[in-house]
Amino acid sequence: MRLTLLVPELIWPEPNDQLTLGKLAAPGFEWLAAHAGFSRQPRQAYEHLLATQFGLDDAPFGALRRLGESNQTAGDDGHWLCADPVHLRFHHERIVLADAGAFDLDLDEAQAIAAALNSEFADIGRFHVATARRWYLQLHTPTTHHAEPLSHIAGRRLDDELTDKNGVLTRWLNEVQMFLHGHPVNARRQAEGKPAVNSLWLWGGGPLAKVPAPEFSTVWSDNPLATGLALAADIEALPGAASLGSLLADAEADTSQLAVLDTLLPSVLTEDSPGWRSAFDALEKDWFVPLRGELGRRVDTLTILAPTIYGQLTWTLHGKNRWKFWRKARPLQAMAKDLAEGNTL
């Protein structure tokens, strides 16, 4: 079997964080990294890296992600964007964006705001709420709008180059922000000391299109974008495997499998180091340690794709690599420091 793991934020973004990385037990991943071929490319959002696995350089993320939602309804035609709820705040004279994963937002609150937006801006398009965190906008008139995926800018300073400053939708968002400021849901949230939904992040626009068939026969993921890509490519999309063992039990031999393991990403976006450590420990136990035993047996080739702040990191292993006993494992923190300094692993 050829197995590819896509693991966003596999390495904690602060290499000198002794509490997070200093005493982290990672024998499984460290062994894999020591025996693998390694390459690094410029940083990009994990959504872009995921799309390139399907041969897409400019993917319509909104339409594809919505296709992968379990509760999608009819109406996939047209020009779709992700229209995710966010909270903008000033920090050191710069605007910082927090997505709804960084604060509590109930589904009924999301639906109430979206209904009000649909009433106020019916001439622009129609908002659809899939979950409290994931909203969509179906435009009446297709409009080009350049913006990075939300995962790329959430929790970070919102710099001018990250958005289409002079675009039609960016200018329209000023009206949306003023409307949101006076919405009763936000008034109630602010009275309760909760962050207001004071803007939307529009990204990934375009119509749904056929996706080229990738090399994978199956995609394992609970991520709606990964599921949508698989459905659009007409390949099997299965819920995320809980462990390597469960994937191997259900996948056919002599196939190519893609598993999206995105449990580390939310903790990085919210700077939750204990949460990141807990998620990493689970990946160690359920995936990396078992992979050491399965490499060269049921797993012939393993590729680990890791979009991180250090760049797009790739480790590739073949069964024969397990016999390279002279390659010594290095602590994950040492790898992080080398990457931060621009050194080669």
Side-chain angles (χ1 to χ4, degrees):
M1 177 186 298
R2 298 171 300 283
L3 176 62
T4 298
L5 304 182
L6 176 59
V7 193
E9 306 298 350
L10 177 55
I11 301 182
W12 182 248
E14 300 175 33
N16 295 315
D17 186 343
Q18 195 66 20
L19 290 175
T20 305
L21 292 175
K23 296 182 180 179
L24 184 69
F29 175 72
E30 290 167 0
W31 185 92
L32 294 172
H35 290 76
F38 174 76
S39 66
R40 174 163 60 168
Q41 295 176 305
R43 180 189 176 201
Q44 62 176 323
Y46 90 88
E47 292 92 342
H48 287 301
L49 179 56
L50 176 58
T52 61
Q53 305 309 301
F54 291 79
L56 298 179
D57 293 323
D58 188 19
F61 291 119
L64 288 166
R65 195 182 75 175
R66 185 174 180 275
L67 179 64
E69 297 283 5
S70 60
N71 61 347
Q72 68 159 334
T73 58
D76 292 320
D77 296 335
H79 190 100
W80 290 88
L81 297 100
C82 298
D84 299 324
V86 297
H87 173 74
L88 304 179
R89 63 182 176 86
F90 281 99
H91 181 68
H92 297 313
E93 299 182 351
R94 304 299 293 270
I95 296 177
V96 175
L97 181 149
D99 77 331
F103 56 89
D104 292 329
L105 181 66
D106 295 333
L107 181 59
D108 60 347
E109 293 178 312
Q111 291 172 334
I113 294 174
L117 289 169
N118 282 332
S119 177
E120 182 71 14
F121 301 106
D123 58 322
I124 300 296
R126 183 164 185 80
F127 288 90
H128 300 254
V129 174
T131 71
R133 294 180 57 183
R134 297 192 300 273
W135 303 5
Y136 301 89
L137 173 61
Q138 186 180 25
L139 292 175
H140 294 322
T141 302
T143 303
T144 300
H145 180 73
H146 300 289
E148 287 291 331
L150 182 57
S151 70
H152 195 68
I153 47 86
R156 303 182 176 97
R157 296 185 304 183
L158 189 58
D159 297 322
D160 289 342
E161 66 268 23
L162 292 176
T163 185
D164 190 0
K165 187 175 181 180
N166 298 314
V168 173
L169 291 182
T170 301
R171 296 197 300 270
W172 171 65
L173 271 177
N174 292 328
E175 298 180 44
V176 172
Q177 289 169 359
M178 288 187 287
F179 178 78
L180 290 173
H181 178 74
H183 193 277
V185 168
N186 279 328
R188 184 171 64 250
R189 289 180 62 84
Q190 289 178 310
E192 296 172 354
K194 299 177 181 179
V197 177
N198 56 15
S199 190
L200 305 173
W201 189 253
L202 304 178
W203 62 280
L208 186 64
K210 180 69 175 178
V211 173
E215 65 177 82
F216 311 109
S217 58
T218 309
V219 174
W220 305 75
S221 179
D222 296 318
N223 182 301
L225 176 58
T227 300
L229 281 161
L231 293 174
D234 199 26
I235 64 172
E236 188 174 29
L238 294 175
S243 65
L244 176 67
S246 60
L247 185 150
L248 293 176
D250 294 332
E252 295 183 11
D254 248 356
T255 58
S256 185
Q257 308 285 321
L258 171 64
V260 179
L261 309 178
D262 57 0
T263 54
L264 297 169
L265 178 62
S267 297
V268 169
L269 297 182
T270 57
E271 299 180 346
D272 175 14
S273 60
W276 185 90
R277 281 183 62 104
S278 177
F280 189 94
D281 288 342
L283 290 176
E284 263 288 300
K285 177 175 69 72
D286 296 331
W287 292 90
F288 299 142
V289 170
L291 275 165
R292 177 175 178 174
E294 291 294 348
L295 186 66
R297 296 185 174 93
R298 286 189 288 179
V299 177
D300 299 315
T301 301
L302 171 66
T303 302
I304 301 175
L305 303 174
T308 71
I309 196 173
Y310 308 98
Q312 177 188 314
L313 313 179
T314 303
W315 289 268
T316 305
L317 297 98
H318 304 283
K320 62 183 179 182
N321 296 139
R322 65 181 293 110
W323 304 112
K324 296 182 178 180
F325 299 112
W326 60 91
R327 293 193 174 184
K328 302 301 181 182
R330 300 178 63 226
L332 190 62
Q333 185 173 32
M335 287 188 260
K337 290 181 176 180
D338 275 348
L339 290 168
E341 294 170 2
N343 298 328
T344 300
L345 294 185

